[in-house]
Amino acid sequence: MHVVATAGHVDHGKSTLVRALTGMEPDRLEEERRRGLTIELGFAWTDLPGGEPVAFVDVPGHERFVATMLAGVGPVPAAMVVVAADQGWQRQSQEHLAVLGALGVRHGLLAVTRRDLTDAATAARVRDDALERIAATSLGEVAAVEVSGATGQGLDALRAALGDLAAALPEPDRTADVRLWIDRVFTVQGRGTVVTGTLGAGTLRVGDRLEAGGETVRVRGLQSLKRQYDEVGAVARVAVNLHGGAGALRRGDALLTPGRWLPTELVDVRLHGDPARDLPRRLVLHAGSAAVPVHVRALGEDTARLALQRPLPLRAGDAALLRDPGRHRVPAGVAVLDVRPEPFTRRGAAAARARELAAMGPRPDGAAELRRRGLARRADLIAMGVPPPSEPVAGDWLADPGHWDGLRRRLRDAVEEHARTHPTDPGLPAEAARRALGLPDRALVEALATGLHRRDGRLYGTATAPELPPHVRRAVDAVRRDLAGAPFNAPDAGRLAELGLTPKLIAAAAAAGALLKVADGIVLLPGADAEVAALLAKLDPPFTLSEARRALGTTRRVAVPLLEHLDDQGYTVRVDDLRRRCTERTS
């Protein structure tokens, strides 16, 4: 399917032309038909000469309903500009054309209507004037057809021109994330809420779960051109029957693929139109079918920061426009550059940001964006409209190569500095490293630690074991002497305190391989556990705690934690509460 929006001044025959092309009444409201004036968006469709369907979004031409016109034309890829031959170019002709240019619409045609009401020379002058104006916008040179909706003159030529227009439209991405801007919401008895919109990309399926207005909804049914479907792909006019929290939806909301969009209240943009410094501080941003008041802060000559009154699901590369409703004009089109700009927290930050934006190209550059941010989640870049430039370094995290190398150097320096300042505890805890580097995820620390030693959640550099100061080495020598005659009779708490061996120093000595820490307050010499296992292997299995204590010549205070240590190390296996047997150690 192809979707085309009408554009043009009030009473120039847009609805009459759509009616003549389709045989359908685009004006849905009784008041519209009574007054002969389009107030709301109208929809009608027909088949092109090649058999493909084309749907028309018929928009109001009166200046009081420009916001409604924008809601209809915003998501549509092509436009049919309508100018009456007997009236020529008018005020709303110009504003509608400015809207199309601001939105960057590149595909369209000109229909010179009411040809039956004027002579050939006048119609030609109106046609040529309109073509010249249109050529100066993003539409460029377009085909023109003189037509009369009342008499049928030129309708076949217009259908042929529409066929050529449809053939020139780019192929939509039906695998893209869904963002269906809602242009109409109503309730069907027994079915619930139905929303309509123009699906510009992606595919909708019955059963899909989508995000809308902060709620999760389910697609209960799909219609396109009054026919039921299980699946509808872009581009299409579609009506979606929703189940779930859809009661508060309104025009300007959007149905979104879950987890793939980042609604934003702050965007940096490039402007096409009035200089940024000349813009009023308060304008209305029109994006898709949404109209949101914004505060405008000029940054550079053609760049600005917009603070939105409510969040919108925007991406870098989106086209929108700023409108001044009080003056009935479009001062600028908008190309979204960044939907997650950093706040200005220091003097000169705005000027620096203006220079950054000036250097940005028309399309989002993933490498440049990652270079500016240093680190970013792949999913976040996609949701921002920025193509990921590389593969993740850890989990879903992407890193700029230069920033990543700098982080690795800083991590190594932090590990070595910790070892210098904590010689008895040289391992830098990974969580402390994360905080020191300001990293958002522990997984990044693990990925950066290539070339470093890792043990028990700590990072070690050249110093992989504690460096024991002289007084600790003397205390360890004293323990060795104490254990020389009774190797399994561990010194008690009083003796350890006398030697100055605090729990922290005992842990350092154990990490250095100078002592064996069996349990808190229980230390033996390195290798004592293997010696104990060898002695216990000589006992008849299974053996009791008392038998083990006597064989080792030690106390219950030492024997209980020592046997538990042997269990943990795989030297022994506990049979019941009191009995054990020795086994071959597997690790």
Side-chain angles (χ1 to χ4, degrees):
M1 180 195 306
H2 302 287
V3 182
V4 177
T6 63
H9 194 72
V10 62
D11 201 28
H12 273 209
K14 296 186 295 298
S15 298
T16 300
L17 185 58
V18 170
R19 192 180 303 115
L21 284 167
T22 66
M24 302 173 67
E25 176 58 69
D27 290 336
R28 297 181 292 105
L29 305 181
E30 181 181 347
E31 182 183 0
E32 292 178 318
R33 293 191 290 271
R34 177 172 52 80
R35 296 171 60 184
L37 175 72
T38 300
I39 298 172
E40 259 296 342
L41 298 174
F43 308 103
W45 56 90
T46 188
D47 288 336
L48 295 172
E52 289 186 280
V54 59
F56 295 96
V57 180
D58 188 34
V59 305
H62 197 285
E63 66 180 8
R64 285 163 47 198
F65 306 120
V66 170
T68 303
M69 176 266 182
L70 286 164
V73 79
V76 174
M80 180 169 64
V81 181
V82 176
V83 181
D86 59 327
Q87 293 189 22
W89 200 259
Q90 299 291 320
R91 176 175 176 173
Q92 290 311 116
S93 308
Q94 186 59 40
E95 183 165 11
H96 282 204
L97 183 62
V99 164
L100 298 175
L103 291 174
V105 178
R106 298 184 177 277
H107 302 275
L109 60 82
L110 170 66
V112 180
T113 56
R114 307 208 302 200
R115 175 64 181 80
D116 56 312
L117 299 182
T118 190
D119 57 72
T122 301
R125 284 196 300 272
V126 170
R127 180 197 63 211
D128 293 344
D129 176 53
L131 287 173
E132 183 177 351
R133 294 173 186 269
I134 293 170
T137 71
S138 61
L139 287 164
E141 295 184 0
V142 300
V145 180
E146 296 178 16
V147 64
S148 169
T151 67
Q153 176 185 352
L155 285 181
D156 288 342
L158 181 57
R159 290 190 180 95
L162 284 166
D164 293 339
L165 173 63
L169 293 176
E171 190 69 18
D173 182 0
R174 295 183 178 89
T175 66
D177 300 328
V178 168
R179 178 179 57 182
L180 179 73
W181 292 103
I182 296 171
D183 53 37
R184 187 180 171 214
V185 182
F186 55 94
T187 301
V188 175
Q189 188 173 2
R191 300 293 293 173
T193 301
V194 176
V195 302
T196 67
T198 299
L199 183 64
T203 299
L204 286 170
R205 298 175 180 86
V206 172
D208 280 353
R209 294 191 180 276
L210 302 170
E211 292 177 357
E215 301 287 340
T216 299
V217 297
R218 181 173 59 84
V219 178
R220 174 185 281 170
L222 288 170
Q223 268 195 10
S224 185
L225 309 188
K226 295 291 186 182
R227 293 180 59 187
Q228 297 285 345
Y229 291 92
D230 291 329
E231 177 180 306
V232 176
V235 171
R237 282 296 305 173
V238 62
V240 188
N241 181 204
L242 297 174
H243 176 76
L249 293 180
R250 57 183 175 173
R251 173 182 288 167
D253 289 333
L255 298 182
L256 307 169
T257 301
R260 303 289 286 182
W261 298 86
L262 295 174
T264 180
E265 294 177 312
L266 195 68
V267 294
D268 286 345
V269 301
R270 176 166 287 118
L271 306 170
H272 307 284
D274 292 357
R277 64 177 180 275
D278 295 341
L279 294 178
R281 290 292 185 92
R282 301 283 180 182
L283 291 171
V284 175
L285 177 71
H286 291 267
S289 62
V292 178
V294 296
H295 178 271
V296 182
R297 176 173 180 173
L299 296 177
E301 180 69 18
D302 64 347
T303 55
R305 175 161 291 185
L306 307 181
L308 284 62
Q309 195 173 88
R310 68 178 177 91
L312 290 179
L314 301 177
R315 285 183 174 176
D318 279 347
L321 62 86
L322 292 170
R323 184 169 182 268
D324 186 345
R327 297 167 63 188
H328 302 290
R329 65 184 298 266
V330 176
V334 164
V336 177
L337 298 177
D338 190 354
V339 298
R340 281 291 186 270
E342 297 291 331
F344 298 140
T345 57
R346 56 181 177 81
R347 186 178 183 85
R353 182 58 172 156
R355 291 190 293 271
E356 287 180 346
L357 296 176
M360 287 187 182
R363 296 178 179 273
D365 184 330
E369 184 65 24
L370 191 56
R371 189 161 51 247
R372 186 170 70 84
R373 295 178 182 274
L375 294 169
R377 289 188 183 275
R378 185 178 186 277
D380 287 347
L381 286 185
I382 292 172
M384 292 161 54
V386 178
S390 59
E391 292 300 312
V393 295
D396 195 40
W397 288 99
L398 305 176
D400 171 67
H403 183 68
W404 190 246
D405 290 343
L407 286 173
R408 182 174 283 116
R409 288 192 296 270
R410 287 174 57 198
L411 178 60
R412 289 174 177 170
D413 290 346
V415 168
E416 295 296 344
E417 177 62 21
H418 180 86
R420 283 193 295 272
T421 55
H422 301 81
T424 63
D425 186 21
L428 176 63
E431 178 58 23
R434 185 194 68 79
R435 292 195 301 268
L437 271 61
L439 297 174
D441 193 326
R442 174 85 168 265
L444 292 168
V445 177
E446 298 297 324
L448 285 166
T450 54
L452 297 173
H453 300 281
R454 284 171 278 185
R455 187 172 67 246
D456 299 329
R458 291 173 174 266
L459 305 176
Y460 297 86
T462 54
T464 58
E467 179 183 335
L468 300 180
H471 72 282
V472 176
R473 289 198 296 270
R474 288 193 294 271
V476 169
D477 289 341
V479 171
R480 287 180 179 278
R481 289 192 296 271
D482 291 349
L483 293 172
F488 310 121
N489 194 12
D492 60 21
R495 176 58 173 161
L496 294 176
E498 178 187 336
L499 295 173
L501 288 174
T502 64
K504 184 175 182 180
L505 292 178
I506 289 173
L515 291 175
L516 172 65
K517 180 182 176 183
V518 175
D520 290 342
I522 306 295
V523 295
L524 297 174
L525 296 180
D529 46 4
E531 294 177 26
V532 169
L535 288 172
L536 295 179
K538 298 176 181 179
L539 299 177
D540 292 333
F543 55 83
T544 66
L545 173 63
S546 294
E547 290 171 337
R549 180 180 61 77
R550 288 194 298 270
L552 299 175
T554 189
T555 64
R556 183 182 178 88
R557 174 183 68 87
V558 176
V560 170
L562 182 54
L563 288 178
E564 291 175 350
H565 172 77
L566 294 178
D567 291 345
D568 291 340
Q569 296 300 310
Y571 286 111
T572 56
V573 174
R574 188 164 184 159
V575 178
D576 52 34
D577 287 345
L578 297 176
R579 303 165 71 84
R580 284 178 172 80
R581 61 182 174 84
C582 288
T583 184
E584 288 189 17
R585 192 179 182 197
T586 58
S587 61

